[in-house]
Amino acid sequence: MIVKIENVTKAYNKTPVIRGVSLGIEKGERIVILGPSGCGKTTLLRMVAGFIHPDKGKLVIEGKTVADNGKCIIEPEGRQVGMVFQDLTLWPHMSSYKNIEFGLKAKKIPKTEIREQIDSILEKVQMIQFRNAYPGDLSGGQQQRIALARALVTRPKILLMDEPLSSLDTDLRGVLMREILRLQEELTITMIYVTHDREEAFSLATRIVVMKEGEIQKTGTVSQIKEWL
């Protein structure tokens, strides 16, 4: 089991957002957390990433406890996770190359190796010709690919995606969903994907986790969840 979430709770201003959630995720799974806005799915994702910490309960990644009862034990950079945010958070004053380079420079990787890794991931997301372009020069779908490249370039074992396609039109979402599936299989990476969209969940998941009001209502395969819904 690559991720283990044990009886995790989280509240903001004494208002519960996550209520005693437990979930185990196996290596290579594509888990989609499905639920309406405000149900706690993004909070759960950000706890796995290490950006926020559970008030109670434990988070374990690859057998190592990363957070326990309000304490952060391993910081985000030590968790081997990559994240694509809903608003992408690309720096507008940086080229595609520089946006992707940021995480590698933080790891103090030699420049020649950085260039190789960036060019390799740009090839994988089919954006090598846009390595010097700025976010403002790119379409929404192209920006999405650069954000995906930035999350993957550090070679994480877990890819976290927070409603990354919500701002795109239906046709483009379909194209990028196929790309996400291709990359996940090619890189044999574990994926945890958050969405409120049922069709996205059905298209991407090997297993779906349905959340409501801070709790897990149901987990199951796509066919099981379709029948249940």
Side-chain angles (χ1 to χ4, degrees):
M1 193 171 292
I2 194 166
V3 177
K4 195 172 183 183
I5 300 167
E6 298 180 4
N7 201 29
V8 161
T9 65
K10 182 69 180 178
Y12 293 116
N13 299 320
K14 298 184 179 180
T15 301
V17 179
I18 300 291
R19 307 166 186 261
V21 165
S22 295
L23 179 67
I25 299 170
E26 298 293 343
K27 184 177 180 181
E29 274 197 290
R30 293 193 306 271
I31 295 291
V32 175
I33 303 174
L34 175 65
S37 296
C39 73
K41 56 190 188 296
T42 292
T43 297
L44 192 62
L45 199 72
R46 291 176 72 86
M47 283 198 285
V48 174
F51 301 137
I52 54 176
H53 315 306
D55 298 329
K56 293 181 181 177
K58 184 188 289 189
L59 280 168
V60 180
I61 295 177
E62 285 208 306
K64 296 177 182 176
T65 299
V66 298
D68 192 7
N69 286 321
K71 294 180 181 178
C72 176
I73 296 167
I74 297 179
E75 294 294 337
E77 58 270 19
R79 296 190 183 191
Q80 292 189 295
V81 302
M83 186 160 180
V84 179
F85 300 87
Q86 185 172 3
D87 59 3
L88 303 186
T89 64
L90 294 176
W91 289 288
H93 63 288
M94 291 184 182
S95 66
S96 298
Y97 185 95
K98 290 291 184 183
N99 264 285
I100 298 168
E101 180 187 44
F102 191 82
L104 295 174
K105 284 181 77 173
K107 290 177 176 268
K108 298 181 179 178
I109 294 171
K111 280 188 177 180
T112 52
E113 192 175 333
I114 285 177
R115 278 196 299 272
E116 288 172 6
Q117 286 185 222
I118 293 174
D119 284 347
S120 174
I121 198 65
L122 282 170
E123 290 278 9
K124 282 185 170 63
V125 299
Q126 300 173 359
M127 287 291 289
I128 190 68
Q129 69 272 39
F130 296 102
R131 70 199 306 275
N132 296 317
Y134 288 80
D137 300 323
L138 302 174
S139 69
Q142 289 168 338
Q143 289 181 34
Q144 195 61 259
R145 288 172 188 264
I146 295 300
L148 187 56
R150 185 178 61 183
L152 292 171
V153 74
T154 56
R155 299 173 182 171
K157 295 190 176 177
I158 303 161
L159 177 64
L160 308 175
M161 305 190 80
D162 185 11
E163 304 230 29
L165 309 181
S166 59
S167 64
L168 304 177
D169 64 50
T170 303
D171 289 343
L172 189 51
R173 281 166 64 193
V175 170
L176 284 171
M177 279 192 283
R178 289 191 290 275
E179 283 298 297
I180 289 166
L181 287 172
R182 179 183 66 80
L183 286 164
Q184 187 270 337
E185 290 174 0
E186 186 178 323
L187 300 170
T188 60
I189 196 169
T190 303
M191 185 175 83
I192 308 174
Y193 188 106
V194 158
T195 186
H196 65 275
D197 188 284
R198 291 184 180 186
E199 292 309 314
E200 256 182 54
F202 298 155
S203 297
L204 290 170
T206 54
R207 186 156 57 105
I208 296 174
V209 177
V210 181
M211 286 191 71
K212 186 178 181 182
E213 296 178 352
E215 298 179 331
I216 291 176
Q217 286 195 310
K218 182 79 172 176
T219 64
T221 63
V222 171
S223 59
Q224 287 170 338
I225 296 300
K226 277 184 175 180
E227 187 176 332
W228 181 74
L229 290 171

